[in-house]
Amino acid sequence: LFRQPISNEQITAVRVKYDLPDKYLLDVGAIEPRKNLQNLIRAIASAHIDLPLVAIGGHSKYADEAGVLAQRLGVKLLLRHQIPFVDFPAIYKGAEVLCYPSIFEGFGIPILEAFKSGTPVILSNTSSLPEVGGTAGYYVDPYQIENISRAMLDLHENPNLRNHLIEEGYEQMKKFTLENFAKGTMEVYNSVI
């Protein structure tokens, strides 16, 4: 799906379908404590960024708590559940930035989806994320609200940084092709033999 070009008309249609604003921050994944949505909400409030946060993931108690926190802090949080995967490329393409301050990840597929969509990524400097993000991510400490806030402000205020990370994202994607995966798998098998 992410290999197909996305037109402005497709982005607009998906925005209308899910009642999304013209500009928004994006968070994708299970809405559970390790994904750190509540610290992301605190960081948006701290940075005084006037962009809504669209969080896509399953409904959970943690999501409900995040909704209460966002309301208390004056952050516009749009929780969207059960979005068909076919609409993800347009949602990513329409986002200002993917915010991924996860505390722990086994891999982080949304990062690659954002790179493929030309969407800059703020991500944690923990677990597997630096390996996935390479030089294309804006890294933050997921426990430091001010650190996440600074990243959002930097990407919001600095179009050169934004464009640089988008270009780096396209380059980083090249490391995750099926051909490279097959080559890496064969290297592992050969080293065992």
Side-chain angles (χ1 to χ4, degrees), residues 90-123:
I91 291 171
Y92 277 102
K93 191 79 173 166
E96 293 292 301
V97 63
L98 173 69
C99 301
Y100 209 74
S102 185
I103 293 167
F104 174 80
E105 286 296 326
F107 186 76
I109 289 174
I111 296 164
L112 298 181
E113 293 169 344
F115 289 163
K116 187 70 176 171
S117 301
T119 302
V121 180
I122 295 169
L123 65 159

Side-chain angles (χ1 to χ4, degrees), residues 27 34-36 40 99-103 122-124 140 142 148:
D27 178 67
R34 74 179 174 89
K35 295 293 191 173
N36 211 19
L40 179 56
C99 301
Y100 209 74
S102 185
I103 293 167
I122 295 169
L123 65 159
S124 296
V140 297
I148 302 168

Side-chain angles (χ1 to χ4, degrees), residues 51-126:
L51 288 176
L53 172 61
V54 175
I56 298 175
H59 183 262
S60 65
K61 181 181 177 194
Y62 183 78
D64 292 339
E65 292 168 355
V68 170
L69 176 66
Q71 188 172 16
R72 183 170 56 81
L73 296 178
V75 172
K76 185 169 185 184
L77 175 64
L78 305 173
L79 293 167
R80 298 294 183 262
H81 311 295
Q82 299 178 339
I83 304 260
F85 191 67
V86 70
D87 291 332
F88 274 45
I91 291 171
Y92 277 102
K93 191 79 173 166
E96 293 292 301
V97 63
L98 173 69
C99 301
Y100 209 74
S102 185
I103 293 167
F104 174 80
E105 286 296 326
F107 186 76
I109 289 174
I111 296 164
L112 298 181
E113 293 169 344
F115 289 163
K116 187 70 176 171
S117 301
T119 302
V121 180
I122 295 169
L123 65 159
S124 296
N125 59 5
T126 61

